[in-house]
Amino acid sequence: MSKKASGKIGVLLVNLGTPDTPNTPDVRKYLREFLLDKRVIDIPAIARYALINGVIAPFRAPKSAKVYKELWTERGSPLLYHGRDLQEKLQKALGSDYHVAFGMRYQSPSIKSALEELREQSVDRIIVLPLFPQYASASTGSVQDKVMEIVKDWWIIPNINFISSFCDDPGFIKAFAALGKQHMAQDDYDFVVFSYHGLPERHILKGSDHGYCKLGACCNTYNKRNKYCYRAACFATSRLLAAELGLREDQYTVSFQSRLGRDPWLQPYTDFVLKDLPAKGIKKVLAYSPAFVADCLETTIEVGEEFKEMFINAGGEKWQLVESLNSNPQWVEAVKEMILKN
């Protein structure tokens, strides 16, 4: 049976989320929804509620609002408009046999509204692509959890396919490497830093396949035992990007950013790593943030500005952020191929 006879295929793109505005009340609302997610802060519900509402949201929201105001543009939040741009371009690339919807795990547009959009189109099946290259329970897992929570109440549930990880997808790797090569063609860099969003170490250990993960050399290969290990996936992405960029092992490092709280998070920490580089004679650094496919606070502000300032203050000369994939044509093609494969 042809696609036309059998109905459209729905595609749901999902990213993390963003406040509706950079004003403190909206930032506080966003932080509350985000951090109250049991997959993000995995402590008992009563303790999580008290921590978020009594400590983190009230004190962090005003500080975060200032940073969001730096990030905001005439089009609004970059994470939102880059997502909308990707949705529009992917729709054109896939054609009329598909319907592409876009939602956020937290805030607007919601996953529920995007799923309703697909249901209105009477799609025969839905392919869900959380826009997180490396699987983590706190990101991809949370999206999957939310989708299943919503569709369980539908009277008719179509076939649903989740793309859980694309950390080693050839199109993703080539598209991201191409952006780095553009910067490398303009200047000679001493070193490349692949900085990923951090996770508490306990998140990795909780998801370990029968104790396989030791937070060590087990991540030096990416295999069926650790394919859902975030740390192993980050190392896999880095090895593939380094190969595509023509880097030797001594020309790059992998590190983790954006930690929260006192519990041990994945190491080494990017802010510690970059401060040591100038003393080793490394003066020019190309910085990637390959956990993100759209520019946001963690890429533009944290890696692009805050880490740059730290590096220069430590004696470095140049710190260059490689922009995210956003709605780059090569990335749109890569996403199209992922959808067609699934």
Side-chain angles (χ1 to χ4, degrees):
M1 187 180 290
S2 70
K3 281 184 192 148
K4 272 191 176 176
S6 62
K8 289 185 177 183
I9 294 175
V11 177
L12 174 57
L13 304 175
V14 185
N15 215 324
L16 189 73
T18 182
D20 291 333
T21 75
N23 299 322
T24 299
D26 284 332
V27 173
R28 185 182 295 115
K29 181 181 175 184
Y30 166 71
L31 288 175
R32 287 188 70 255
E33 184 181 358
F34 171 38
L35 297 174
L36 282 171
D37 186 338
K38 65 183 181 297
R39 288 179 178 268
V40 175
I41 296 185
D42 55 329
I43 60 176
I46 294 175
R48 184 171 63 249
Y49 187 86
L51 176 65
I52 303 310
N53 289 293
V55 180
I56 297 180
F59 291 100
R60 192 172 177 181
K63 295 178 182 177
S64 295
K66 290 180 182 178
V67 182
Y68 273 111
K69 285 174 183 175
E70 289 181 51
L71 180 71
W72 230 253
T73 73
E74 291 180 359
R75 294 187 66 191
S77 169
L79 198 68
L80 178 57
Y81 67 72
H82 286 313
R84 289 293 196 197
D85 289 347
L86 178 62
Q87 173 193 13
E88 180 182 340
K89 293 178 182 180
L90 181 63
Q91 181 66 72
K92 290 179 181 176
L94 286 170
S96 59
D97 289 336
Y98 294 79
H99 186 87
V100 182
F102 175 67
M104 295 288 199
R105 175 59 185 89
Y106 313 105
Q107 299 298 285
S108 302
S110 67
I111 290 177
K112 185 174 183 180
S113 68
L115 284 170
E116 285 299 330
E117 180 183 330
L118 294 178
R119 187 154 68 152
E120 284 294 315
Q121 291 289 321
S122 301
V123 297
D124 275 358
R125 56 191 292 252
I126 298 172
I127 300 170
V128 182
L129 176 59
L131 293 168
F132 313 109
Q134 303 82 21
Y135 178 90
S137 177
S139 54
T140 306
S142 182
V143 169
Q144 295 168 333
D145 191 341
K146 190 66 176 180
V147 168
M148 291 186 286
E149 175 191 313
I150 293 165
V151 301
K152 71 177 173 54
D153 295 325
W154 291 7
W155 192 249
I156 296 174
I157 301 175
N159 289 331
I160 299 177
N161 185 26
F162 294 99
I163 300 177
S164 296
S165 172
F166 54 91
C167 67
D168 56 351
D169 177 78
F172 162 67
I173 296 296
K174 286 184 181 299
F176 230 152
L179 295 176
K181 287 177 181 177
Q182 291 176 11
H183 290 288
M184 292 168 76
Q186 295 171 10
D187 206 343
D188 292 325
Y189 291 91
D190 305 321
F191 203 67
V192 175
V193 171
F194 296 112
S195 179
Y196 294 83
H197 197 288
L199 281 179
E201 290 181 353
R202 68 177 183 273
H203 281 207
I204 305 297
L205 298 174
K206 282 173 71 171
S208 175
D209 180 7
H210 298 88
Y212 178 82
C213 182
K214 305 297 181 185
L215 295 171
C218 49
C219 292
N220 291 344
T221 59
Y222 189 57
N223 55 63
K224 64 181 181 180
R225 296 290 303 277
N226 64 10
K227 65 181 179 179
Y228 292 115
C229 169
Y230 178 76
R231 184 175 183 268
C234 292
F235 279 99
T237 298
S238 300
R239 285 192 298 270
L240 291 167
L241 278 172
E244 194 69 27
L245 293 169
L247 302 176
R248 302 187 308 269
E249 283 189 20
D250 62 345
Q251 291 179 307
Y252 73 93
T253 194
V254 178
S255 58
F256 300 90
Q257 65 187 77
S258 311
R259 62 190 179 278
L260 175 68
R262 297 178 181 177
D263 287 349
W265 281 46
L266 293 177
Q267 297 185 44
Y269 301 138
T270 305
D271 52 338
F272 288 6
V273 167
L274 65 87
K275 291 175 183 176
D276 292 336
L277 295 178
K280 298 175 182 177
I282 295 170
K283 301 292 186 178
K284 292 184 177 182
V285 169
L286 190 64
Y288 265 96
S289 196
F292 301 94
V293 298
D295 277 316
C296 55
L297 187 148
E298 287 83 359
T299 63
T300 304
I301 304 296
E302 188 172 12
V303 179
E305 296 181 11
E306 293 175 3
F307 287 173
K308 178 181 180 179
E309 184 178 357
M310 290 179 194
F311 182 66
I312 299 300
N313 288 341
E317 294 175 5
K318 184 171 184 178
W319 174 277
Q320 176 62 56
L321 170 67
V322 177
E323 60 273 28
S324 289
L325 293 161
N326 298 324
S327 61
N328 179 289
Q330 197 170 346
W331 170 230
V332 174
E333 185 62 25
V335 176
K336 173 187 171 182
E337 289 303 315
M338 274 193 267
I339 298 303
L340 294 178
K341 287 176 190 173
N342 283 271

